[in-house]
Amino acid sequence: MRKTNPDYDALQTRSYRARKKGNKQQAKTLFKQMQKPPRRDPYDPDYRRLRYVRYADDTLLGFAGPREEAEGIKRQLGEFLRDHLKLELSQEKTLITHAHTEVARFLGYEIATQHENTKHDRFGHRSVNGRIVLRAPTTVIERKCSIYMKHGKPTHRPELRNDDDFTIMSRYQLEYRGIVQYYLLAQNIPQFWKLHWIMKESLLKTLASKHKRRVTDVVRKYQTTTETSQGTLKCLEVIVPREGKKPLVARFGGIPLRRQNAAILIDQPFLVFRNQRNELLKRLLAEKCELCGSRENTEVHHIRKLADLNMKGKAEKPTWVKCMAARHRKTLVVCQDCHRAIHAGRPVGQNIRT
């Protein structure tokens, strides 16, 4: 433990004597002055402490002591890696940062120490000074937001317009929940409300573009509420009813942006995608032609490679080619009539004479 700070001890003694003499105003003034200097001596020459954490090949060391000794530890680590393991320590990535004035990056988090003299516990003691804090880097939030923006505003994603509403909303939720759940240990997790708003606007614009409707119409159709551990939250929800089974539900939002001290950083997919077999099997189980919508005699049309979709010499590509190119898939679930029309080179939906 560090030695006590002489300046703090002197103020504490004067405050105690003033209180004993009944001079409450002076004691109160001295107590406020006690909130400025640290309780322990930050420059204690005899105090040292070293802690470390490692994940795969990423290592973080926390050292309390002079910078010269920290540089010596770094030098010894480099020598050990070179002489015993035949490895070189990266000088660009191996940095020495002061936790009070700088931040260290580790596994996508910013790590620093807190300093706030106005935060007290129930005994009136400063409670956060010197404590380690984890933060989500602002650059990470901005970079994630930029994916769903164009010219500084949320924009739609045209590559998703050929998917159904359930799939579009599931994908947005999967992407949003993945980044938010990873940063549940961060103190500034509420800042992800910006990402939530931008992704929600992008989702609404994507659905509006798909159905050629206004954003407000999409909001009225899909906006609802959901119960969470932190109360009722607004969200967007798509429900697909199934005969004799529970309906499929895709939801965007409904994740409380509250820091969780015991959060387990496991990025699992959305519930509807758990234990899924594969995309083709799900499309087959739907028993629906992806061209005309028929549910009779569904089959699968295959191509050798996606490059085969680039048909030369034809001004207008057939509908089935456009559909496969938009989905970026080498398979297409079609009914028997559409499948025959594809191989006969005829427009889909027209019967072939026998």
Side-chain angles (χ1 to χ4, degrees), residues 6-226:
D7 295 336
Y8 184 92
D9 288 343
L11 290 171
Q12 189 178 40
T13 301
R14 291 172 57 190
S15 175
Y16 173 76
R17 290 174 179 174
R19 194 180 303 108
K20 293 290 285 184
K21 292 179 181 180
N23 194 343
K24 296 183 179 180
Q25 185 60 37
Q26 183 181 4
K28 185 177 181 180
T29 302
L30 291 170
F31 181 78
K32 289 183 178 180
Q33 294 179 12
M34 288 169 54
Q35 304 304 304
K36 297 180 181 179
R39 176 68 178 87
R40 301 284 175 178
D41 185 4
Y43 303 106
D44 184 357
D46 300 324
Y47 181 83
R48 299 290 186 277
R49 181 172 290 177
L50 178 64
R51 299 286 188 270
Y52 82 95
V53 60
R54 181 181 70 87
Y55 181 83
D57 60 343
D58 292 327
T59 306
L60 179 69
L61 286 83
F63 176 67
R67 184 180 181 88
E68 293 77 12
E69 294 185 16
E71 293 175 347
I73 293 173
K74 176 182 176 180
R75 184 170 57 255
Q76 292 178 28
L77 288 173
E79 293 173 355
F80 177 83
L81 291 174
R82 183 178 63 253
D83 299 339
H84 296 273
L85 303 179
K86 308 303 179 184
L87 299 173
E88 287 296 330
L89 188 68
S90 174
Q91 299 300 322
E92 295 89 10
K93 296 181 180 179
T94 309
L95 307 175
I96 298 177
T97 58
H98 195 289
H100 184 62
T101 58
E102 302 172 280
V103 295
R105 287 289 189 96
F106 185 66
L107 301 180
Y109 276 85
E110 288 183 348
I111 304 178
T113 56
Q114 295 176 295
H115 185 81
E116 181 54 63
N117 289 328
T118 61
K119 299 291 184 180
H120 300 85
D121 58 17
R122 60 191 182 94
F123 300 106
H125 302 151
R126 288 169 290 180
S127 58
V128 301
N129 285 357
R131 292 183 179 271
I132 298 298
V133 60
L134 302 178
R135 301 192 188 99
T138 305
T139 53
V140 170
I141 301 175
E142 295 297 331
R143 185 170 66 251
K144 295 297 181 182
C145 290
S146 64
I147 298 175
Y148 308 94
M149 300 176 68
K150 187 175 182 180
H151 304 304
K153 296 181 180 180
T155 185
H156 70 287
R157 297 168 69 180
E159 69 274 11
L160 301 180
R161 284 184 298 187
N162 291 305
D163 293 328
D164 55 75
D165 295 2
F166 181 87
T167 302
I168 294 173
M169 194 162 295
S170 297
R171 178 162 182 174
Y172 269 86
Q173 178 75 343
L174 186 66
E175 295 170 358
Y176 175 66
R177 189 186 57 224
I179 183 68
V180 168
Q181 286 189 341
Y182 185 77
Y183 285 104
L184 283 178
L185 293 173
Q187 189 185 58
N188 61 338
I189 185 69
Q191 292 185 10
F192 280 92
W193 273 116
K194 179 179 180 180
L195 176 63
H196 176 272
W197 179 81
I198 290 176
M199 289 189 67
K200 180 180 178 181
E201 291 295 310
S202 175
L203 170 59
L204 291 172
K205 289 183 178 181
T206 301
L207 294 174
S209 175
K210 171 182 172 62
H211 297 290
K212 294 181 172 28
R213 300 175 65 183
R214 295 181 301 177
V215 170
T216 52
D217 296 334
V218 179
V219 172
R220 293 192 195 99
K221 182 178 180 181
Y222 291 131
Q223 184 162 283
T224 184
T225 58
T226 183

